[in-house]
Amino acid sequence: MENRKKRAALHNLGCKVNAYETEAMKQLLEEHGYEIVSFEEEADVCLINTCSVTNMADRKSRQMLHRARKKNPDAVIVAAGCYVQTAGEEIIRSGDADLVIGNNQKARLPELLEPFFEKEGDKERTEKSRPADAFVIDITHTSEYEEMALKKTAEHTRAFIKIQDGCSQFCSYCIIPYTRGRIRSRRPADVLSEVRRLSEAGYREVVLTGIHLSSYGKDLEEEIPLLEIIRMVHQIPGIQRIRLGSLEPRIITEEFVKELSWMEKVCPHFHLSLQSGCDATLRRMNRHYTTEEYYDKCKLLRKYYEHPAITTDVIVGFPQETEEEFRDTLLFLRRARFYEMHIFKYSKRQGTKAASMTGQVPEETKTLRSHLALKLEAKLSEEFRYYYMGKTEEILLEEPHVFGKDVYITGFTREYVKAAVKLTKENKDEMLSGRLIKAKITGILGDGLLSAEWTP
């Protein structure tokens, strides 16, 4: 048989942490001689990095496993990640996967694939008549952070860096503590080593991310708070921007924000998880703050930053949410003046406390509330963007786009507002991706995209 590289196709579902781990698994396979191909191509290995945050995510995970099996019936089908943690036995019984890998086992992927091939470099497979091989640990009883690292990312200018895993909050609607386990922090030396490698590879912006980023360092033998690891990353040459993943409101203290404001590389873009603008709903969600405490955090950010982008998540239609409670949420969202809001209709997640609560809200009511919240989100986002009209802003350029007859290059401001710079005959052939420029904001092209003029 022709000796050739084995081909692997990977598909990611879910959050930025999942996306990071999918990229890390791709690089592990490449290092072990695999050729990475798109999910639409013929492959010897098809891996789905699954999600289980909602019942819909479970369904999408099952659908993608079915699709992989149908498209590549002779391939090794690998189910990995969070859905595996909640439904590993079900996946095995279904026959949809040949290899089932839970969280904290993904770094073993090349080793676990070896038995499925008779010899290295040979496409010929061993018989698949036996049940799926399963490697799923009790994630709720591990304190080990699974080290995975990137040398490159799918994006060319911005790199997501996972520094934390797990969550110990146990919000009443959330399955994550059961699929990701308790909080586990990455060693600072490993974080800094990865940032240096990515900086040397030309990345100018890093995003520090995790399942519960605010708890970073609390489980380390020598506790190192999130603020300290940010300081360490800030000192690495070549990195020009640092962004933070989703934060819990309680980490926003006077000291925390004041220290961040002194670090010029830290972007004034903060995603503060809210979930509801009603105190009674927050209590049912087991969220450990009030709306007034949350608002005080927004005021702190605005005290130290002129125009910070504050974004958030909102769940509408949570069990027992009344019309009055929903109105309270809308009023709070207007008061907080968010730049962007991710609006989710509550989705019952089996295994969580909220799933068994009385007073489940009808689907049509959730849809109406979602529509109203999204309408408000669009208005607030537009108001935030109009602040920039006529101002000169720093933009990290990324990729070209064509609008009508004109060619632009798009990028993001420090507040993560997308902007498009029109290219001229003089600069249209330059390699501009990854370059930081100052450009004057002149208008909006559509879909919230700022237009900007730049004179090199």
Side-chain angles (χ1 to χ4, degrees):
M1 180 173 287
E2 180 188 356
N3 191 359
R4 65 162 177 80
K5 281 187 174 184
K6 294 186 287 292
R7 294 154 62 90
L10 294 84
H11 183 81
N12 183 70
L13 295 169
C15 65
K16 294 296 186 183
V17 170
N18 252 23
Y20 174 95
E21 291 170 350
T22 300
E23 286 293 321
M25 286 189 284
K26 282 182 183 178
Q27 289 175 41
L28 278 171
L29 290 176
E30 285 178 321
E31 289 166 5
H32 283 77
Y34 286 78
E35 176 188 354
I36 304 301
V37 299
S38 81
F39 209 73
E40 301 307 316
E41 297 180 63
E42 183 182 340
D44 304 302
V45 174
C46 292
L47 181 145
I48 312 296
N49 197 15
T50 63
C51 178
S52 191
V53 70
T54 64
N55 288 342
M56 179 63 73
D58 282 358
R59 192 169 85 179
K60 286 182 179 178
S61 296
R62 289 192 296 271
Q63 288 172 342
M64 285 306 301
L65 288 168
H66 288 319
R67 180 181 166 193
R69 175 68 84 203
K70 185 176 181 180
K71 188 162 187 64
N72 275 296
D74 296 324
V76 180
I77 308 299
V78 184
C82 292
Y83 179 56
V84 169
Q85 291 294 149
T86 63
E89 291 184 5
E90 179 184 329
I91 295 170
I92 292 168
R93 286 195 303 270
S94 72
D96 284 334
D98 305 303
L99 180 59
V100 177
I101 304 174
N103 288 324
N104 261 43
Q105 299 289 293
K106 295 174 182 177
R108 298 178 61 196
L109 176 61
E111 162 206 342
L112 300 179
L113 280 171
E114 284 180 10
F116 288 88
F117 297 92
E118 290 188 345
K119 59 183 179 180
E120 188 174 348
D122 193 335
K123 183 180 182 294
E124 191 170 336
R125 287 277 318 285
T126 56
E127 289 298 318
K128 294 197 297 180
S129 56
R130 55 189 172 80
D133 285 350
F135 298 87
V136 184
I137 65 170
D138 183 351
I139 199 70
T140 64
H141 286 87
T142 185
S143 59
E144 179 186 353
Y145 179 90
E146 181 179 33
E147 178 58 26
M148 300 176 80
L150 295 181
K151 295 177 182 175
K152 60 182 179 179
T153 75
E155 297 190 50
H156 300 297
T157 58
R158 179 183 304 104
F160 285 82
I161 298 175
K162 178 187 168 189
I163 70 170
Q164 185 276 336
D165 207 339
C167 181
S168 303
Q169 296 300 296
F170 291 94
C171 298
S172 63
Y173 53 82
C174 188
I175 198 72
I176 296 302
Y178 305 100
T179 62
R180 283 279 178 177
R182 307 301 187 267
I183 60 170
R184 305 183 300 287
S185 302
R186 190 177 185 185
R187 292 191 314 122
D190 293 329
V191 173
L192 299 177
S193 176
E194 181 170 350
V195 176
R196 289 190 192 98
R197 280 197 306 274
L198 290 166
S199 174
E200 290 166 3
Y203 292 90
R204 295 292 164 257
E205 180 175 303
V206 293
V207 185
L208 304 183
T209 189
I211 296 298
H212 193 260
L213 186 63
S214 300
S215 65
Y216 177 84
K218 291 182 179 180
D219 59 313
L220 294 174
E221 189 172 333
E222 182 182 342
E223 185 173 331
I224 297 176
L226 178 61
L227 190 60
E228 186 57 32
I229 196 68
I230 298 170
R231 283 196 193 101
M232 293 177 182
V233 172
H234 192 270
Q235 294 169 8
I236 295 177
I239 297 301
Q240 295 173 291
R241 287 182 173 183
I242 300 169
R243 295 192 191 276
L244 305 176
S246 180
L247 298 172
E248 279 293 311
R250 286 172 296 174
I251 201 172
I252 304 297
T253 63
E254 184 100 28
E255 177 195 6
F256 184 82
V257 182
K258 187 176 183 180
E259 290 289 322
L260 285 185
S261 70
W262 289 344
M263 292 184 248
E264 68 277 3
K265 294 181 183 180
V266 175
C267 293
H269 171 216
F270 303 96
H271 188 87
L272 294 189
S273 182
L274 173 64
Q275 308 305 353
S276 175
C278 167
D279 288 338
T281 307
L282 288 173
R283 285 193 295 272
R284 293 197 301 277
M285 290 177 165
N286 197 33
R287 302 290 290 176
H288 304 290
Y289 50 82
T290 65
T291 51
E292 204 56 41
E293 288 167 342
Y294 186 103
Y295 187 70
D296 286 342
K297 309 303 184 181
C298 295
K299 287 197 296 184
L300 262 179
L301 290 170
R302 289 173 175 137
K303 174 182 175 181
Y304 286 95
Y305 293 97
E306 180 183 347
H307 188 62
I310 305 175
T311 61
T312 198
D313 302 311
V314 179
I315 297 173
V316 299
F318 190 75
Q320 301 171 27
E321 182 185 62
T322 64
E323 287 296 330
E324 183 180 0
E325 289 177 341
F326 176 65
R327 283 196 299 272
D328 286 346
T329 288
L330 290 182
L331 288 170
F332 183 80
L333 300 180
R334 288 192 187 95
R335 182 185 177 204
R337 306 194 322 275
F338 293 107
Y339 158 44
E340 286 183 335
M341 300 183 289
H342 301 149
I343 310 296
F344 301 93
K345 292 189 290 185
Y346 170 72
S347 173
K348 186 187 291 188
R349 186 61 183 83
Q350 297 304 325
T352 64
K353 186 176 180 181
S356 59
M357 285 182 178
T358 59
Q360 297 287 326
V361 177
E363 192 63 32
E364 58 270 25
T365 303
K366 288 191 282 189
T367 298
L368 175 60
R369 290 176 185 175
S370 173
H371 172 75
L372 292 172
L374 285 168
K375 188 175 178 181
L376 175 60
E377 193 276 340
K379 182 175 185 296
L380 294 175
S381 188
E382 181 182 39
E383 289 173 1
F384 185 91
R385 287 181 172 89
Y386 267 105
Y387 164 87
Y388 295 101
M389 294 302 113
K391 297 184 184 297
T392 298
E393 297 295 323
E394 179 189 271
I395 301 169
L396 178 59
L397 301 177
E398 295 192 356
E399 57 187 357
H401 275 278
V402 177
F403 296 98
K405 296 180 180 180
D406 297 318
V407 179
Y408 291 77
I409 185 166
T410 60
F412 287 89
T413 70
R414 287 170 55 80
E415 295 82 9
Y416 207 65
V417 179
K418 196 169 187 178
V421 178
K422 187 176 178 179
L423 296 181
T424 64
K425 292 180 181 178
E426 289 73 28
N427 60 28
K428 69 182 180 68
D429 295 324
E430 287 186 51
M431 292 294 292
L432 297 174
S433 179
R435 184 167 170 180
L436 274 171
I437 66 164
K438 291 288 184 71
K440 184 177 180 180
I441 307 302
T442 56
I444 297 180
L445 288 171
D447 293 329
L449 184 67
L450 302 178
S451 62
E453 290 181 353
W454 170 49
T455 304

